[in-house]
PDB file of all heavy atoms in Angstrom:
ATOM      1  N   VAL T  45      32.174  76.867 -21.609  1.00 97.00           N
ATOM      2  CA  VAL T  45      32.972  76.992 -20.381  1.00 97.00           C
ATOM      3  C   VAL T  45      32.233  77.841 -19.352  1.00 97.00           C
ATOM      4  O   VAL T  45      31.896  78.997 -19.601  1.00 97.00           O
ATOM      5  CB  VAL T  45      34.359  77.584 -20.682  1.00 97.00           C
ATOM      6  CG1 VAL T  45      35.144  77.768 -19.390  1.00 97.00           C
ATOM      7  CG2 VAL T  45      35.117  76.667 -21.631  1.00 97.00           C
ATOM      8  N   ASP T  46      31.989  77.251 -18.203  1.00 97.00           N
ATOM      9  CA  ASP T  46      31.348  77.951 -17.089  1.00 97.00           C
ATOM     10  C   ASP T  46      32.412  78.342 -16.070  1.00 97.00           C
ATOM     11  O   ASP T  46      33.340  77.575 -15.810  1.00 97.00           O
ATOM     12  CB  ASP T  46      30.320  77.048 -16.406  1.00 97.00           C
ATOM     13  CG  ASP T  46      29.183  76.656 -17.342  1.00 97.00           C
ATOM     14  OD1 ASP T  46      28.918  77.420 -18.286  1.00 97.00           O
ATOM     15  OD2 ASP T  46      28.582  75.585 -17.127  1.00 97.00           O
ATOM     16  N   VAL T  62      44.490  75.544 -10.638  1.00 97.00           N
ATOM     17  CA  VAL T  62      44.925  74.214 -10.197  1.00 97.00           C
ATOM     18  C   VAL T  62      43.871  73.180 -10.588  1.00 97.00           C
ATOM     19  O   VAL T  62      42.714  73.294 -10.185  1.00 97.00           O
ATOM     20  CB  VAL T  62      45.136  74.197  -8.668  1.00 97.00           C
ATOM     21  CG1 VAL T  62      45.606  72.825  -8.208  1.00 97.00           C
ATOM     22  CG2 VAL T  62      46.127  75.279  -8.270  1.00 97.00           C
ATOM     23  N   PRO T  63      44.263  72.163 -11.378  1.00 96.00           N
ATOM     24  CA  PRO T  63      43.264  71.211 -11.880  1.00 96.00           C
ATOM     25  C   PRO T  63      42.671  70.290 -10.807  1.00 96.00           C
ATOM     26  O   PRO T  63      43.384  69.828  -9.913  1.00 96.00           O
ATOM     27  CB  PRO T  63      44.017  70.382 -12.916  1.00 96.00           C
ATOM     28  CG  PRO T  63      45.417  70.835 -12.899  1.00 96.00           C
ATOM     29  CD  PRO T  63      45.598  71.915 -11.897  1.00 96.00           C
ATOM     30  N   THR T  64      41.372  70.064 -10.935  1.00 96.00           N
ATOM     31  CA  THR T  64      40.670  69.122 -10.067  1.00 96.00           C
ATOM     32  C   THR T  64      39.374  68.730 -10.773  1.00 96.00           C
ATOM     33  O   THR T  64      39.225  68.948 -11.967  1.00 96.00           O
ATOM     34  CB  THR T  64      40.400  69.743  -8.682  1.00 96.00           C
ATOM     35  OG1 THR T  64      39.763  68.771  -7.850  1.00 96.00           O
ATOM     36  CG2 THR T  64      39.475  70.955  -8.773  1.00 96.00           C
ATOM     37  N   ALA T  65      38.445  68.147 -10.011  1.00 96.00           N
ATOM     38  CA  ALA T  65      37.113  67.823 -10.538  1.00 96.00           C
ATOM     39  C   ALA T  65      36.108  68.002  -9.408  1.00 96.00           C
ATOM     40  O   ALA T  65      36.486  68.285  -8.275  1.00 96.00           O
ATOM     41  CB  ALA T  65      37.073  66.405 -11.090  1.00 96.00           C
ATOM     42  N   ALA T  74      35.344  68.259 -14.686  1.00 97.00           N
ATOM     43  CA  ALA T  74      36.717  68.756 -14.543  1.00 97.00           C
ATOM     44  C   ALA T  74      36.720  70.265 -14.444  1.00 97.00           C
ATOM     45  O   ALA T  74      35.975  70.943 -15.153  1.00 97.00           O
ATOM     46  CB  ALA T  74      37.544  68.308 -15.733  1.00 97.00           C
ATOM     47  N   MET T  75      37.531  70.772 -13.562  1.00 97.00           N
ATOM     48  CA  MET T  75      37.593  72.230 -13.380  1.00 97.00           C
ATOM     49  C   MET T  75      38.968  72.626 -12.879  1.00 97.00           C
ATOM     50  O   MET T  75      39.744  71.788 -12.424  1.00 97.00           O
ATOM     51  CB  MET T  75      36.523  72.681 -12.385  1.00 97.00           C
ATOM     52  CG  MET T  75      36.706  72.123 -10.996  1.00 97.00           C
ATOM     53  SD  MET T  75      35.456  72.752  -9.853  1.00 97.00           S
ATOM     54  CE  MET T  75      34.248  71.472  -9.914  1.00 97.00           C
ATOM     55  N   ASP T  76      39.241  73.903 -12.997  1.00 97.00           N
ATOM     56  CA  ASP T  76      40.457  74.465 -12.421  1.00 97.00           C
ATOM     57  C   ASP T  76      40.063  75.381 -11.281  1.00 97.00           C
ATOM     58  O   ASP T  76      39.109  76.154 -11.403  1.00 97.00           O
ATOM     59  CB  ASP T  76      41.227  75.258 -13.476  1.00 97.00           C
ATOM     60  CG  ASP T  76      41.768  74.361 -14.572  1.00 97.00           C
ATOM     61  OD1 ASP T  76      42.163  73.231 -14.251  1.00 97.00           O
ATOM     62  OD2 ASP T  76      41.775  74.782 -15.743  1.00 97.00           O
ATOM     63  N   ARG T  88      36.723  77.270 -12.705  1.00 97.00           N
ATOM     64  CA  ARG T  88      36.410  77.382 -14.131  1.00 97.00           C
ATOM     65  C   ARG T  88      36.407  75.981 -14.736  1.00 97.00           C
ATOM     66  O   ARG T  88      37.330  75.201 -14.480  1.00 97.00           O
ATOM     67  CB  ARG T  88      37.481  78.250 -14.807  1.00 97.00           C
ATOM     68  CG  ARG T  88      37.203  78.519 -16.284  1.00 97.00           C
ATOM     69  CD  ARG T  88      38.274  79.414 -16.880  1.00 97.00           C
ATOM     70  NE  ARG T  88      39.576  78.753 -16.867  1.00 97.00           N
ATOM     71  CZ  ARG T  88      40.732  79.377 -17.087  1.00 97.00           C
ATOM     72  NH1 ARG T  88      40.759  80.671 -17.328  1.00 97.00           N
ATOM     73  NH2 ARG T  88      41.881  78.709 -17.068  1.00 97.00           N
ATOM     74  N   GLY T  89      35.386  75.654 -15.496  1.00 97.00           N
ATOM     75  CA  GLY T  89      35.305  74.343 -16.130  1.00 97.00           C
ATOM     76  C   GLY T  89      36.393  74.169 -17.169  1.00 97.00           C
ATOM     77  O   GLY T  89      36.871  75.146 -17.748  1.00 97.00           O
ATOM     78  N   ARG T  90      36.805  72.905 -17.398  1.00 96.00           N
ATOM     79  CA  ARG T  90      37.870  72.652 -18.376  1.00 96.00           C
ATOM     80  C   ARG T  90      37.252  72.176 -19.694  1.00 96.00           C
ATOM     81  O   ARG T  90      36.663  71.114 -19.775  1.00 96.00           O
ATOM     82  CB  ARG T  90      38.847  71.612 -17.823  1.00 96.00           C
ATOM     83  CG  ARG T  90      39.965  72.243 -17.018  1.00 96.00           C
ATOM     84  CD  ARG T  90      41.271  71.503 -17.138  1.00 96.00           C
ATOM     85  NE  ARG T  90      41.123  70.094 -16.832  1.00 96.00           N
ATOM     86  CZ  ARG T  90      41.132  69.588 -15.610  1.00 96.00           C
ATOM     87  NH1 ARG T  90      41.318  70.370 -14.571  1.00 96.00           N
ATOM     88  NH2 ARG T  90      40.990  68.303 -15.430  1.00 96.00           N
ATOM     89  N   ALA T  91      37.453  73.002 -20.718  1.00 96.00           N
ATOM     90  CA  ALA T  91      36.795  72.762 -22.005  1.00 96.00           C
ATOM     91  C   ALA T  91      37.255  71.471 -22.664  1.00 96.00           C
ATOM     92  O   ALA T  91      36.506  70.851 -23.418  1.00 96.00           O
ATOM     93  CB  ALA T  91      37.065  73.936 -22.942  1.00 96.00           C
ATOM     94  N   ASP T  92      38.478  71.042 -22.368  1.00 95.00           N
ATOM     95  CA  ASP T  92      39.008  69.874 -23.081  1.00 95.00           C
ATOM     96  C   ASP T  92      38.670  68.562 -22.378  1.00 95.00           C
ATOM     97  O   ASP T  92      39.092  67.499 -22.820  1.00 95.00           O
ATOM     98  CB  ASP T  92      40.532  70.004 -23.239  1.00 95.00           C
ATOM     99  CG  ASP T  92      41.253  70.026 -21.903  1.00 95.00           C
ATOM    100  OD1 ASP T  92      40.586  70.175 -20.849  1.00 95.00           O
ATOM    101  OD2 ASP T  92      42.499  69.890 -21.885  1.00 95.00           O
ATOM    102  N   ASP T  93      37.924  68.620 -21.295  1.00 96.00           N
ATOM    103  CA  ASP T  93      37.695  67.378 -20.552  1.00 96.00           C
ATOM    104  C   ASP T  93      36.535  66.581 -21.131  1.00 96.00           C
ATOM    105  O   ASP T  93      35.490  67.147 -21.475  1.00 96.00           O
ATOM    106  CB  ASP T  93      37.414  67.669 -19.086  1.00 96.00           C
ATOM    107  CG  ASP T  93      37.566  66.407 -18.243  1.00 96.00           C
ATOM    108  OD1 ASP T  93      36.578  65.657 -18.117  1.00 96.00           O
ATOM    109  OD2 ASP T  93      38.691  66.171 -17.760  1.00 96.00           O
ATOM    110  N   ARG T  94      36.710  65.254 -21.185  1.00 96.00           N
ATOM    111  CA  ARG T  94      35.705  64.379 -21.793  1.00 96.00           C
ATOM    112  C   ARG T  94      34.399  64.374 -21.012  1.00 96.00           C
ATOM    113  O   ARG T  94      33.343  64.121 -21.571  1.00 96.00           O
ATOM    114  CB  ARG T  94      36.235  62.949 -21.932  1.00 96.00           C
ATOM    115  CG  ARG T  94      36.613  62.279 -20.622  1.00 96.00           C
ATOM    116  CD  ARG T  94      36.879  60.791 -20.845  1.00 96.00           C
ATOM    117  NE  ARG T  94      35.725  60.148 -21.435  1.00 96.00           N
ATOM    118  CZ  ARG T  94      34.659  59.760 -20.750  1.00 96.00           C
ATOM    119  NH1 ARG T  94      34.631  59.915 -19.440  1.00 96.00           N
ATOM    120  NH2 ARG T  94      33.631  59.209 -21.342  1.00 96.00           N
ATOM    121  N   ASN T  96      32.827  66.940 -19.026  1.00 97.00           N
ATOM    122  CA  ASN T  96      31.928  68.096 -18.964  1.00 97.00           C
ATOM    123  C   ASN T  96      32.135  69.115 -20.053  1.00 97.00           C
ATOM    124  O   ASN T  96      31.301  70.010 -20.206  1.00 97.00           O
ATOM    125  CB  ASN T  96      32.047  68.778 -17.601  1.00 97.00           C
ATOM    126  CG  ASN T  96      33.449  69.212 -17.273  1.00 97.00           C
ATOM    127  OD1 ASN T  96      34.423  68.560 -17.655  1.00 97.00           O
ATOM    128  ND2 ASN T  96      33.565  70.321 -16.578  1.00 97.00           N
ATOM    129  N   ARG T  97      33.240  68.994 -20.820  1.00 97.00           N
ATOM    130  CA  ARG T  97      33.505  69.959 -21.904  1.00 97.00           C
ATOM    131  C   ARG T  97      33.292  71.393 -21.414  1.00 97.00           C
ATOM    132  O   ARG T  97      32.641  72.207 -22.056  1.00 97.00           O
ATOM    133  CB  ARG T  97      32.617  69.661 -23.114  1.00 97.00           C
ATOM    134  CG  ARG T  97      32.691  68.220 -23.590  1.00 97.00           C
ATOM    135  CD  ARG T  97      33.875  67.928 -24.482  1.00 97.00           C
ATOM    136  NE  ARG T  97      33.715  68.548 -25.778  1.00 97.00           N
ATOM    137  CZ  ARG T  97      34.663  69.277 -26.380  1.00 97.00           C
ATOM    138  NH1 ARG T  97      35.819  69.450 -25.786  1.00 97.00           N
ATOM    139  NH2 ARG T  97      34.459  69.795 -27.565  1.00 97.00           N
ATOM    140  N   GLY T  98      33.803  71.658 -20.220  1.00 97.00           N
ATOM    141  CA  GLY T  98      33.811  73.022 -19.698  1.00 97.00           C
ATOM    142  C   GLY T  98      32.660  73.386 -18.779  1.00 97.00           C
ATOM    143  O   GLY T  98      32.710  74.391 -18.088  1.00 97.00           O
ATOM    144  N   ARG T  99      31.614  72.543 -18.767  1.00 98.00           N
ATOM    145  CA  ARG T  99      30.420  72.938 -18.009  1.00 98.00           C
ATOM    146  C   ARG T  99      30.553  72.649 -16.510  1.00 98.00           C
ATOM    147  O   ARG T  99      31.193  71.677 -16.113  1.00 98.00           O
ATOM    148  CB  ARG T  99      29.197  72.209 -18.535  1.00 98.00           C
ATOM    149  CG  ARG T  99      28.743  72.687 -19.882  1.00 98.00           C
ATOM    150  CD  ARG T  99      27.850  71.656 -20.530  1.00 98.00           C
ATOM    151  NE  ARG T  99      27.562  71.989 -21.924  1.00 98.00           N
ATOM    152  CZ  ARG T  99      28.412  71.799 -22.924  1.00 98.00           C
ATOM    153  NH1 ARG T  99      29.612  71.304 -22.709  1.00 98.00           N
ATOM    154  NH2 ARG T  99      28.081  72.134 -24.171  1.00 98.00           N
ATOM    155  N   LEU T 100      29.875  73.460 -15.737  1.00 98.00           N
ATOM    156  CA  LEU T 100      29.800  73.232 -14.294  1.00 98.00           C
ATOM    157  C   LEU T 100      28.363  73.423 -13.831  1.00 98.00           C
ATOM    158  O   LEU T 100      27.632  74.256 -14.375  1.00 98.00           O
ATOM    159  CB  LEU T 100      30.728  74.198 -13.552  1.00 98.00           C
ATOM    160  CG  LEU T 100      32.238  74.028 -13.846  1.00 98.00           C
ATOM    161  CD1 LEU T 100      33.036  75.104 -13.130  1.00 98.00           C
ATOM    162  CD2 LEU T 100      32.748  72.645 -13.450  1.00 98.00           C
ATOM    163  N   HIS T 524      40.622  61.578 -12.390  1.00 97.00           N
ATOM    164  CA  HIS T 524      41.190  62.920 -12.375  1.00 97.00           C
ATOM    165  C   HIS T 524      42.119  63.056 -11.173  1.00 97.00           C
ATOM    166  O   HIS T 524      41.845  62.490 -10.115  1.00 97.00           O
ATOM    167  CB  HIS T 524      40.095  63.989 -12.238  1.00 97.00           C
ATOM    168  CG  HIS T 524      39.261  64.202 -13.465  1.00 97.00           C
ATOM    169  ND1 HIS T 524      37.920  63.907 -13.499  1.00 97.00           N
ATOM    170  CD2 HIS T 524      39.576  64.690 -14.693  1.00 97.00           C
ATOM    171  CE1 HIS T 524      37.447  64.207 -14.708  1.00 97.00           C
ATOM    172  NE2 HIS T 524      38.424  64.674 -15.447  1.00 97.00           N
ATOM    173  N   LEU T 525      43.159  63.845 -11.350  1.00 97.00           N
ATOM    174  CA  LEU T 525      44.007  64.194 -10.217  1.00 97.00           C
ATOM    175  C   LEU T 525      43.513  65.526  -9.654  1.00 97.00           C
ATOM    176  O   LEU T 525      43.192  66.439 -10.408  1.00 97.00           O
ATOM    177  CB  LEU T 525      45.462  64.331 -10.671  1.00 97.00           C
ATOM    178  CG  LEU T 525      46.453  64.709  -9.571  1.00 97.00           C
ATOM    179  CD1 LEU T 525      46.626  63.572  -8.564  1.00 97.00           C
ATOM    180  CD2 LEU T 525      47.812  65.069 -10.165  1.00 97.00           C
ATOM    181  N   ARG T 595      47.922  64.703 -18.425  1.00 84.00           N
ATOM    182  CA  ARG T 595      46.688  64.500 -19.211  1.00 84.00           C
ATOM    183  C   ARG T 595      45.486  64.875 -18.346  1.00 84.00           C
ATOM    184  O   ARG T 595      44.712  64.025 -17.936  1.00 84.00           O
ATOM    185  CB  ARG T 595      46.583  63.044 -19.646  1.00 84.00           C
ATOM    186  CG  ARG T 595      47.672  62.673 -20.626  1.00 84.00           C
ATOM    187  CD  ARG T 595      47.391  61.362 -21.279  1.00 84.00           C
ATOM    188  NE  ARG T 595      47.244  60.290 -20.297  1.00 84.00           N
ATOM    189  CZ  ARG T 595      47.174  58.992 -20.612  1.00 84.00           C
ATOM    190  NH1 ARG T 595      47.218  58.635 -21.873  1.00 84.00           N
ATOM    191  NH2 ARG T 595      47.041  58.081 -19.692  1.00 84.00           N
ATOM    192  N   ALA T 596      45.367  66.156 -18.096  1.00 69.00           N
ATOM    193  CA  ALA T 596      44.364  66.610 -17.133  1.00 69.00           C
ATOM    194  C   ALA T 596      42.940  66.443 -17.639  1.00 69.00           C
ATOM    195  O   ALA T 596      41.986  66.734 -16.941  1.00 69.00           O
ATOM    196  CB  ALA T 596      44.610  68.074 -16.778  1.00 69.00           C
ATOM    197  N   SER T 597      42.767  65.951 -18.872  1.00 84.00           N
ATOM    198  CA  SER T 597      41.414  65.861 -19.418  1.00 84.00           C
ATOM    199  C   SER T 597      40.708  64.573 -19.017  1.00 84.00           C
ATOM    200  O   SER T 597      39.588  64.332 -19.441  1.00 84.00           O
ATOM    201  CB  SER T 597      41.457  65.967 -20.936  1.00 84.00           C
ATOM    202  OG  SER T 597      42.238  64.936 -21.466  1.00 84.00           O
ATOM    203  N   GLY T 598      41.308  63.760 -18.183  1.00 91.00           N
ATOM    204  CA  GLY T 598      40.599  62.599 -17.662  1.00 91.00           C
ATOM    205  C   GLY T 598      40.873  61.335 -18.465  1.00 91.00           C
ATOM    206  O   GLY T 598      40.827  61.333 -19.694  1.00 91.00           O
TER     207      GLY T 598
END
Side-chain angles (χ1 to χ4, degrees):
Chain T
V45 177
D46 297 334
V62 181
T64 182
M75 63 177 95
D76 293 324
R88 184 178 64 193
R90 271 213 307 277
D92 63 348
D93 196 273
R94 61 170 303 280
N96 57 326
R97 308 278 289 132
R99 288 161 189 78
L100 296 176
H524 287 115
L525 179 69
R595 294 193 302 190
S597 59

